[in-house]
Amino acid sequence: MPGNPTRPRRDDSPEESRRARLSLTFDEDAELYDRARPGYPPRLYDDLAELAGTVPGSRVLEVGCGTGQLTVPLAGRGCRITAVEAGARMAAVARRNLTGYPAVDVVTTRFEDWPLPDESYDALVSATAFHWIDPTVRVPRAADALCPAGALAVVRTQHVNGGTEEFFVEVQGCYERFDPATPPGLRPPAAADVDSSDHAREVARSGRFGPTLFRRYEQDLTYSTSEYLDVLRTYSGHRALPEAARSGLLECVAGLIDGSYGGRVTKRYLIELGVSRRR
């Protein structure tokens, strides 16, 4: 559960001591990830084209493509894409989803380990994945991969207040019961309270990029009980719980949705796009 009543905490800020281990959980069930994880709003792709130059024929490097939630729409817009994905199962599903797009190459490796090609890219895009890359190398390597004035485009997703608000208050009891690491009183933050400055500061510290421009989008998605549980099963923190605790948590969540919310809940997402041009 995201948020904090006094200082909102981002969903995409894993503790460094757990980052590498948690990043491996997504590959455990790539089919579930592909089925359950939502795509991105259409306006995002229009803004990527405007701000990052992801236009037909552009050469794009995608870091952490997952199963292709962002890759497929970009390929459909005529981008030539190299998609780097560390998880072998995730990469296999991405290749299947990208059948019919010969201008896309999915490479199975960590971005940190991938030898950068001689030809640079017009844009590097990373959607809900940049925070899993080693923070000591991700921005410098991105700059190295880009041509002069090439764009680093990072998409981040945060659960914010909205949708079925009372459910997200009540469900906190399930988390406090089954996940002892859950601080009491967590609430989804208001979208206006979500701070993006950490990414802007990180990019600026590298000295390799100009100012970061941001665009924001809010998206409400309604889930049945089973659909919502599938989404939870894709989250690294949930997957990392011991089996008994994870099962108990999911049963508690399901009982609350079915018993008090008619088997359906709506979750509000804040999607942020940050674009920085290489100097």
Side-chain angles (χ1 to χ4, degrees):
M1 290 287 293
N4 185 289
T6 57
R7 184 183 177 89
R9 186 174 69 86
R10 296 195 60 100
D11 292 344
D12 55 2
S13 300
E15 296 176 8
E16 184 56 27
S17 61
R18 305 176 70 206
R19 176 183 54 79
R21 179 170 64 86
L22 290 177
S23 69
L24 301 175
T25 63
F26 303 107
D27 201 48
E28 295 169 353
D29 195 339
E31 296 290 351
L32 173 65
Y33 188 99
D34 187 54
R35 182 175 73 249
R37 282 295 181 104
Y40 299 97
R43 284 194 301 124
L44 173 82
Y45 299 98
D46 295 336
D47 288 342
L48 275 170
E50 175 192 343
L51 300 179
T54 55
V55 295
S58 60
R59 184 169 156 81
V60 176
L61 173 62
E62 185 181 3
V63 175
C65 72
T67 60
Q69 278 84 353
L70 190 86
T71 327
V72 173
L74 282 181
R77 287 177 171 238
C79 297
R80 297 179 296 145
I81 304 170
T82 302
V84 178
E85 170 53 50
R89 297 181 184 90
M90 301 277 271
V93 176
R95 291 187 189 98
R96 184 188 70 203
N97 290 338
L98 288 155
T99 300
Y101 293 106
V104 180
D105 181 29
V106 179
V107 180
T108 307
T109 188
R110 297 193 323 148
F111 178 58
E112 297 94 323
D113 302 328
W114 183 55
L116 296 177
D118 292 335
E119 186 179 358
S120 56
Y121 292 88
D122 301 309
L124 185 152
V125 179
S126 185
T128 323
F130 204 63
H131 56 286
W132 295 117
I133 302 167
D134 183 346
T136 65
V137 303
R138 58 195 178 200
V139 174
R141 284 210 104 216
D144 291 343
L146 289 167
C147 63
L152 168 63
V154 175
V155 180
R156 307 171 79 184
T157 302
Q158 173 84 21
H159 174 201
V160 295
N161 193 42
T164 313
E165 294 183 8
E166 188 59 31
F167 165 74
F168 292 105
V169 173
E170 289 192 64
V171 80
Q172 177 66 20
C174 296
Y175 284 86
E176 292 181 11
R177 178 181 174 189
F178 290 101
D179 183 0
T182 302
L186 285 178
R187 298 290 184 269
D193 292 336
V194 175
D195 187 4
S196 306
S197 62
D198 59 334
H199 175 67
R201 288 194 301 270
E202 179 183 355
V203 172
R205 280 196 304 270
S206 73
R208 307 283 302 275
F209 291 90
T212 301
L213 302 177
F214 288 100
R215 297 279 171 89
R216 287 184 160 200
Y217 326 85
E218 291 184 36
Q219 178 172 262
D220 283 2
L221 296 180
T222 299
Y223 298 100
S224 67
T225 301
S226 62
E227 289 168 343
Y228 189 66
L229 294 187
D230 277 350
V231 171
L232 295 184
R233 289 187 181 101
T234 71
Y235 292 161
S236 59
H238 293 67
R239 298 193 67 85
L241 288 172
E243 175 62 33
R246 183 169 62 251
S247 296
L249 172 61
L250 295 177
E251 288 175 9
C252 184
V253 173
L256 181 60
I257 297 174
D258 286 337
S260 300
Y261 293 92
R264 300 186 75 79
V265 291
T266 298
K267 182 173 182 174
R268 179 167 297 172
Y269 296 87
L270 172 68
I271 298 104
E272 300 171 290
L273 169 64
V275 179
S276 318
R277 287 281 180 178
R278 208 200 93 171
R279 295 186 187 278

